[in-house]
């Protein structure tokens, strides 16, 4: 064994404690993302549903999480898996009924789990009555003003109003046809054509959404994850915009290539946000929403999906009178390199502490390649592009899983809140072999197959190895086919099995609670090499070895290890929690 000894002097010894020691539950919570269509299917139609979720809540309570966030289950034509809502105050029949929701919520609460709904305010479905009324109303009417309609350019108006490109590929504008059959105005859609953007400068839209929030708060939800919380206000005049050549586009967060580089010496210069992301006007909306939630008893959470850069800008979303949490996507996309991780952790704690908010750590969700695969990719895979049969640089499964276990063990030891995505507690990899005929992500269609999209992280999860659809349902149907060998990841193959990923998560969540890690602080430890992340949080020493050379462990009781430890040495891609 070779010991590493080089000092890491670039970082401060300790990261500061949050300025506010507010007691709100979400500051320290571990929140489990349920992707309803792929979690558990009670009626066997191949699509998960609310009754299915309810039936599996005891398993989540056993895992030791604090809350669940449900991706959208509202009425929707399902053109973007429910992120195209046609009625915000009803449950889509695919998922059940409002009564099913109420029962699921009551069961969750009785198990001590909070429930967060997913609000999608940037756009509606094109089937929403508001949009249908807008289409049926004359140009310039109040109904049209609910959305972003503009005249086209050129003598016949057949050139889109500007050059913006949709996140899913192709132009961000679609032209409508007038009732008399002649071509009319264009409407803006940051995502699919079936997802027209609302006009948030219009007070009518603001009022409607505050009512929608109250509808769900009255039913008892504990808060909202807010979709595209960075996109709702567009720069005045909708100026043309050409994205920078370099950098990986992360659904809005454009990260300079140097963020992805092995070792960062200086923070990358932030690239200015495009005219449709991160505009100052969104903050006024959040102040209004903050007040809506504050009128209810108890602590409710607003969690921003805000793909903006740098972290100091993300922190603006969680100022005391705005939202509560904002996903730390910069952390999510940090390479599996110790210097980069240490830097982003330090910068995150600093940026969020300055506004009195916790950092909200996350490694996987329904939009990104699962981290059990992503962390071992050997070729670039820009966010949203996904990985499929023909992708270069596919990860080695064992390396990916090992890194994922180490990465999660590191994340769950950090102060603040953490989100985990269904299936990661089973060590699920990305499904990289989905047949093209099964794909459903609009990205696949809008890029004409150039990008595989996000289906690979959305495959229904396995519960019981020997049941149809691995226990996802009783019929074996599955809206995306499950890989034939996923029985090895099934929950029942892992419960009570020492060293399984499920047991690792369960232990980490219990110890995190017992040792108050989420309300602690990071104190960096010196004397470890550049490939090691080592810090103290309360009475726990956390050491993650990202290098190839084993690292000698300090004296103390090993409470958690992401791989088996022998001979007092921490092997590669392993994290350990030690009490000393
Ligand atoms: C972000 C959601 O997480 C993603 O799944 C969706 O496609 C877009 N927003 C559009 O709503
Ligand atoms: Mg079903």
């Amino acid at each position: 064994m070779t010991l590493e000894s080089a000092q890491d002097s670039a970082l401060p010894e300790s990261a500061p404690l949050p300025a506010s020691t507010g007691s709100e539950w979400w500051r320290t919570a571990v929140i489990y993302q349920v992707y309803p269509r792929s979690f558990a299917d009670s009626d066997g139609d191949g699509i998960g549903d609310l009754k299915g979720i309810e039936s599996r809540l005891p398993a989540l309570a056993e895992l030791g999480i604090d809350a669940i966030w449900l991706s959208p289950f509202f009425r929707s034509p399902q053109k973007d898996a429910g992120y195209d809502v046609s009625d915000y105050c009803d449950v889509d029949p695919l998922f059940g009924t409002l009564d099913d929701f109420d029962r699921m919520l009551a069961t969750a609460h009785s198990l001590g789990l909070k429930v967060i709904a997913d609000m999608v305010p940037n756009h509606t479905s094109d089937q929403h009555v508001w949009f249908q009324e807008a289409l049926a109303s004359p140009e310039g009417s109040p109904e049209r003003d609910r959305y972003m309609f503009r005249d086209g350019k050129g003598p016949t108006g057949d050139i889109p109003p500007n050059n913006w490109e949709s996140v899913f590929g192709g132009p961000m504008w679609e032209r409508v046809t007038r009732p008399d059959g002649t071509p009319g105005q264009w409407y803006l859609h940051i995502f699919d054509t079936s997802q027209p953007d609302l006009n948030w400068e219009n007070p009518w839209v603001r009022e409607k959404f505050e009512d929608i929030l109250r509808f769900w708060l009255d039913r008892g939800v504990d808060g909202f994850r807010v979709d595209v919380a960075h996109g709702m206000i567009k720069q005045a005049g909708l100026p043309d915009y050409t994205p920078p050549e370099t950098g990986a586009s992360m659904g809005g967060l454009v990260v300079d290539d140097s963020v992805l580089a092995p070792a960062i010496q200086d923070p990358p210069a932030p690239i200015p946000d495009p005219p449709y992301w991160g505009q100052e006007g969104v903050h006024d909306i959040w102040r209004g929403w903050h007040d809506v939630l504050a009128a209810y008893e108890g602590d409710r959470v607003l969690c921003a999906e805000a793909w903006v850069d740098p972290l100091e800008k993300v922190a603006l979303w969680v100022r005391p009178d705005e939202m509560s949490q904002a996903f730390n996507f910069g952390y999510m996309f940090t390479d599996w390199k110790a210097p980069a991780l240490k830097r982003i952790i330090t910068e995150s704690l600093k940026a969020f502490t300055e506004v009195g908010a916790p950092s909200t750590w996350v490694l996987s969700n329904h939009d990104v390649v699962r981290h059990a695969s992503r962390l071992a990719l050997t070729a670039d895979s820009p966010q949203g592009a996904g990985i499929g049969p023909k992708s270069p640089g596919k990860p080695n499964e064992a390396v990916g899983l090992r890194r994922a276990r180490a990465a999660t063990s590191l994340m769950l030891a950090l102060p603040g809140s953490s989100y985990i995505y269904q299936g990661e507690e089973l060590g699920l990899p990305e499904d990289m072999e989905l047949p093209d005929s099964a794909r459903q992500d609009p990205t696949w269609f809008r890029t004409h197959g150039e990008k595989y999209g996000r289906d690979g992280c959305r495959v229904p999860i396995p519960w019981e190895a020997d049941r149809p659809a691995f226990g996802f349902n009783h019929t074996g149907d599955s809206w995306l086919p499950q890989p034939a060998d996923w029985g090895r990841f099934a929950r029942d193959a892992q419960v009570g099995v020492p060293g399984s990923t499920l047991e690792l998560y369960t232990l980490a969540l219990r110890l995190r609670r017992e040792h108050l890690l989420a309300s602690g602080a990071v104190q960096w430890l010196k004397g470890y090499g550049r490939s090691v992340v080592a810090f103290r949080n309360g009475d726990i020493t956390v050491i993650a070895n990202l290098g190839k050379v084993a690292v000698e462990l300090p004296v103390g009781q090993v409470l958690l290890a992401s791989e088996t430890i022998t001979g007092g040495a921490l092997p590669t891609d392993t994290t350990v929690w030690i009490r000393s």
Side-chain angles (χ1 to χ4, degrees):
M1 182 188 71
T2 312
L3 300 184
E4 296 192 335
S5 58
Q7 301 248 327
D8 192 327
S9 52
L11 295 159
E13 250 178 75
S14 68
L17 269 173
S20 159
T21 51
S23 61
E24 294 99 331
W25 62 270
W26 41 264
R27 287 179 178 273
T28 55
V30 174
I31 301 173
Y32 181 102
Q33 180 186 359
V34 172
Y35 194 63
R37 51 173 46 233
S38 300
F39 186 70
D41 173 24
S42 72
D43 60 5
D45 67 350
I47 301 186
D49 44 49
L50 292 171
K51 282 189 178 149
I53 295 171
E54 187 183 355
S55 71
R56 297 293 190 177
L57 288 175
L60 296 186
E62 241 171 71
L63 178 61
I65 49 134
D66 301 291
I68 55 173
W69 147 38
L70 298 178
S71 281
F73 48 83
F74 315 111
R75 260 188 200 271
S76 159
Q78 306 290 326
K79 292 278 171 54
D80 184 22
Y83 284 93
D84 50 319
V85 180
S86 56
D87 185 348
Y88 292 88
C89 296
D90 202 1
V91 170
D92 194 281
L94 268 184
F95 301 120
T97 63
L98 277 171
D99 281 347
D100 293 339
F101 177 81
D102 291 342
R103 271 193 295 272
M104 186 279 303
L105 183 68
T107 304
H109 283 164
S110 73
L111 290 166
L113 301 175
K114 313 264 189 204
V115 176
I116 298 172
D118 202 326
M119 197 40 62
V120 189
N122 177 70
H123 46 266
T124 68
S125 159
D126 60 354
Q127 299 307 306
H128 196 292
V129 66
W130 302 339
F131 191 71
Q132 289 300 314
E133 285 171 0
L135 288 181
S137 302
E139 293 162 14
S141 62
E143 288 81 2
R144 284 266 167 128
D145 192 43
R146 299 165 182 171
Y147 292 87
M148 307 282 295
F149 281 92
R150 295 288 185 280
D151 292 334
K153 287 195 204 157
T156 57
D158 59 350
I159 302 169
N162 69 23
N163 70 348
W164 297 357
E165 292 271 324
S166 152
V167 168
F168 292 159
M172 218 188 257
W173 295 93
E174 182 74 1
R175 195 167 196 188
V176 302
T177 306
R178 297 196 185 97
D180 66 3
T182 58
Q185 287 186 304
W186 299 72
Y187 68 86
L188 183 81
H189 58 91
I190 289 186
F191 298 92
D192 189 45
T193 49
S194 62
Q195 295 165 294
D197 277 49
L198 284 159
N199 172 17
W200 275 87
E201 309 280 3
N202 183 340
W204 184 92
V205 170
R206 295 191 185 215
E207 265 172 45
K208 288 286 171 200
F209 267 90
E210 296 198 352
D211 288 347
I212 292 165
L213 295 180
R214 289 190 196 97
F215 176 87
W216 291 103
L217 291 165
D218 288 342
R219 296 196 103 84
V221 302
D222 299 287
F224 304 93
R225 174 262 190 190
V226 183
D227 192 62
V228 198
H230 54 313
M232 290 149 70
I233 298 287
K234 282 76 180 174
Q235 194 176 317
L238 311 183
D240 275 354
Y241 171 75
T242 305
E245 284 287 313
T246 59
S249 167
M250 294 178 173
L253 177 72
V254 176
V255 176
D256 185 282
D257 281 334
S258 56
V259 171
L260 307 171
I264 296 174
Q265 298 309 322
D266 294 308
I271 296 167
D273 281 310
Y276 39 88
W277 296 142
Q279 302 299 306
E280 180 56 31
V282 295
H283 297 291
D284 191 44
I285 304 171
W286 308 135
R287 290 187 194 103
W289 285 33
H290 178 102
D291 291 347
V292 171
L293 267 67
Y296 285 77
E297 267 194 41
D299 299 324
R300 319 272 169 151
V301 65
L302 281 176
C303 178
E305 188 215 17
W307 296 86
V308 289
D309 197 28
L311 277 162
E312 290 70 30
K313 186 158 182 179
V314 184
L316 301 181
W317 268 250
V318 288
R319 285 175 288 191
D321 59 345
E322 297 196 34
M323 303 179 91
S324 335
Q325 305 180 320
F327 290 115
N328 191 335
F329 292 128
Y331 175 76
M332 177 189 255
F333 281 109
T334 298
D335 247 9
W336 185 238
K337 305 280 178 195
L341 277 170
K342 284 187 272 189
R343 179 176 293 286
I344 190 96
I345 293 169
T346 303
E347 288 176 359
S348 301
L349 292 171
K350 180 169 179 292
F352 290 107
T353 297
E354 269 166 16
V355 293
S359 174
T360 302
W361 313 103
V362 60
L363 288 167
S364 277
N365 65 30
H366 65 294
D367 289 330
V368 304
V369 172
R370 283 183 175 276
H371 69 286
S373 299
R374 195 181 69 238
L375 294 178
L377 281 174
T378 58
D380 232 15
S381 174
Q383 198 275 310
I387 324 175
K390 294 188 190 139
S391 300
K394 279 200 240 175
N396 172 292
E397 186 183 292
V399 173
L401 179 57
R402 188 180 177 103
R403 289 186 179 168
R405 291 165 54 107
T408 302
S409 302
L410 175 60
M411 176 179 83
L412 291 175
L414 292 170
S417 173
S418 281
Y419 278 68
I420 55 185
Y421 174 50
Q422 66 177 39
E424 65 168 83
E425 77 281 17
L426 305 173
L428 280 190
E430 184 84 355
D431 181 353
M432 292 169 270
E433 303 301 329
L434 274 173
D436 291 351
S437 58
R439 297 191 181 280
Q440 310 222 6
D441 186 345
T443 307
W444 167 254
F445 299 103
R446 285 187 62 84
T447 63
H448 308 289
E450 194 196 310
K451 294 183 181 174
Y452 286 108
R454 303 158 296 172
D455 292 318
C457 65
R458 299 175 172 183
V459 173
I461 62 171
W463 293 91
E464 284 106 21
D466 296 326
R467 290 196 47 212
F470 304 118
F472 169 61
N473 61 20
H474 57 279
T475 58
D477 276 359
S478 177
W479 71 281
L480 286 173
Q482 297 164 301
D485 65 349
W486 267 20
R488 64 203 167 101
F489 295 109
R491 184 174 186 276
D492 73 342
Q494 300 198 37
V495 179
V497 176
S500 71
T501 303
L502 182 67
E503 290 302 330
L504 177 68
Y505 270 70
T506 309
L507 177 64
L509 291 173
R510 178 166 66 73
L511 292 172
R512 169 188 161 93
R513 203 183 288 259
E514 283 172 11
H515 292 267
L516 308 176
L517 298 180
S519 51
V522 165
Q523 188 178 19
W524 295 112
L525 296 177
K526 289 193 172 169
Y528 290 90
R530 276 183 65 76
S531 311
V532 175
V533 178
F535 62 88
R536 186 103 180 137
N537 182 354
D539 62 346
I540 301 293
T541 296
V542 178
I543 309 175
N545 181 11
L546 288 76
K548 298 224 178 333
V549 180
V551 171
E552 190 182 21
L553 288 175
V555 177
Q557 184 191 4
V558 173
L559 296 184
L560 174 144
S562 65
E563 300 296 331
T564 308
I565 307 281
T566 48
L570 185 65
T572 184
D573 291 337
T574 306
T575 299
V576 73
W577 296 7
I578 297 177
R579 179 166 48 192
S580 51

